[in-house]
Amino acid sequence: MRLTILGCAGSFPGPESPASGYLVETPYDGRIFRLVLDLGNGAFGALQRYVDPDEVDAVGLSHLHADHCLDLCSYYVARKYHPDGPREPIPVYGPARTGDRLATAYGLPGDPGMREEFEFRVWKAAAPLRIGPFTVTVLPVAHPVEAYAVRVEHAGRSLVYSGDTGPTEALADLARGTDLFLCEATFLHGEPNPPDLHLTGREAGEYAKRAGVGRLVLTHVPAWYDGQRMVDDARAVYTGRLDLARAGDVYDV
């Protein structure tokens, strides 16, 4: 599998990166299968640097905060009004009522909303799902809205994306033994942070250590923090391979 970081800025687009968006690709049936995980503010523009949007096979949304889903509105426009004609719908996996929420965001009536461009499907926790060549499993995590961490597996390799979450045992369970753990690090260690919202860099490192992951990639760092601080805090507890996600980075898993 190949993971491309489309955007990794935490909570809002920053000067160096769009908000959350990740492209996962692998050869399949004589071509490349492409799954996009999250499509936050600015991520759809970045996606077009790497692939024609018509070549995306499916989208998975961890949750429905704007910095993780709002560029699906832009994708809707590209699919509906393409000069060569409307595109066939592709599946979009997400929380309950994803289609309704995004129709509201764009000011569309609920029927049909965006359902002529996307087939909206609801995540089912802990039930492995086949999306093309990938086996995808999600577990609910600790966030103010319905939110999921996502595990993607193929050919004996795996990556886990935390989405947005506060501390939760579900994250350690889902990340167990994964080759690459893409984990949010939004809050500073030692600060009086709100509960059930985000992780610190140190907490990301602790989960990586407990889960025995092969590589930890920290993401979702807000523009007002120095990402190196998150790396240092994670390094205090995790001794494996450790990186700070940057827009445009590519990882072979």
Side-chain angles (χ1 to χ4, degrees):
M1 293 184 289
R2 173 165 289 184
L3 168 68
T4 301
I5 310 295
L6 305 176
C8 53
S11 302
F12 53 88
E16 305 297 331
S17 175
S20 293
Y22 308 94
L23 173 64
V24 185
E25 303 172 284
T26 197
Y28 176 61
D29 198 24
R31 63 184 186 87
I32 302 298
F33 190 94
R34 297 179 170 94
L35 168 65
V36 172
L37 296 177
D38 282 350
L39 208 55
N41 321 61
F44 182 66
L47 174 69
Q48 295 169 72
R49 299 176 188 158
Y50 306 101
V51 62
D52 185 327
D54 285 351
E55 296 175 350
V56 171
D57 295 283
V59 177
L61 300 177
S62 65
H63 66 292
L64 300 181
H65 280 159
D67 60 314
H68 292 261
C69 73
L70 199 58
D71 260 24
L72 205 74
C73 293
S74 300
Y75 203 179
Y76 156 79
V77 172
R79 298 191 72 79
K80 183 174 182 64
Y81 297 108
H82 195 286
D84 294 335
R87 316 331 253 167
E88 291 296 314
I90 61 171
V92 174
Y93 298 84
R97 303 196 65 196
T98 292
D100 294 337
R101 289 284 304 279
L102 288 165
T104 297
Y106 199 69
L108 296 172
D111 185 13
M114 298 181 181
R115 290 178 176 84
E116 294 176 349
E117 293 70 37
F118 304 113
E119 295 177 8
F120 293 101
R121 303 177 184 179
V122 178
W123 290 125
K124 294 183 179 180
L129 169 71
R130 291 289 294 183
I131 303 178
F134 300 122
T135 299
V136 179
T137 306
V138 303
L139 286 179
V141 290
H143 206 52
V145 298
E146 182 182 351
Y148 297 91
V150 183
R151 183 180 182 109
V152 182
E153 299 175 277
H154 174 63
R157 306 289 287 178
S158 68
L159 67 87
V160 171
Y161 168 46
S162 68
D164 280 7
T165 181
T168 173
E169 287 302 305
L171 196 56
D173 292 341
L174 196 67
R176 191 82 58 199
T178 194
D179 298 290
L180 188 149
F181 184 29
L182 181 65
C183 187
E184 72 124 284
T186 307
F187 287 154
L188 293 180
H189 175 63
E191 297 293 321
N193 299 311
D196 296 330
L197 189 59
H198 291 296
L199 298 176
T200 66
R202 185 182 180 94
E203 288 168 334
E206 289 170 344
Y207 282 116
K209 179 181 179 179
R210 287 177 53 196
V213 309
R215 185 175 199 165
L216 172 61
V217 180
L218 299 178
T219 191
H220 203 268
V221 179
W224 49 51
Y225 290 141
D226 181 0
Q228 187 59 46
R229 166 71 184 272
M230 304 300 185
V231 171
D232 293 343
D233 286 346
R235 177 59 70 202
V237 291
Y238 176 71
T239 59
R241 297 180 70 184
L242 174 59
D243 297 290
L244 177 66
R246 299 185 188 281
D249 284 353
V250 177
Y251 295 91
D252 289 320
V253 181

